[in-house]
Amino acid sequence: HTVPSKALLALTRICPAKCYAVNDSGQVEVTPDGCMECGTCRVVAEAQGDIEWSYPRGGYGVLFKFG
């Protein structure tokens, strides 16, 4: 994209893990480190085709521990 869509720009504000940020050239960059797999990005941007999201292969996603 030459200009980020409204959905991508919205993700820079609403992603709870702050995985989306605008770089110096005005493009939206994704840093998946810290992603909580909450699905916010899927709800906001997947339908427009701005992102393609899939679950990580077994054993490589978020690990939740109790206690």
Side-chain angles (χ1 to χ4, degrees):
H1 302 145
T2 55
V3 177
S5 69
K6 290 180 181 181
L8 284 176
L9 290 173
L11 288 176
T12 65
R13 295 184 307 274
I14 63 175
C15 175
K18 304 295 183 206
C19 293
Y20 296 84
V22 178
N23 64 17
D24 293 337
S25 64
Q27 297 296 309
V28 175
E29 290 185 343
V30 180
T31 306
D33 301 340
C35 176
M36 298 181 285
E37 296 179 20
C38 66
T40 301
C41 57
R42 294 181 74 188
V43 172
V44 173
E46 191 172 41
Q48 293 87 352
D50 289 327
I51 64 167
E52 184 178 317
W53 193 94
S54 59
Y55 286 101
R57 61 189 175 137
Y60 292 96
V62 173
L63 177 62
F64 296 101
K65 296 182 179 181
F66 299 102

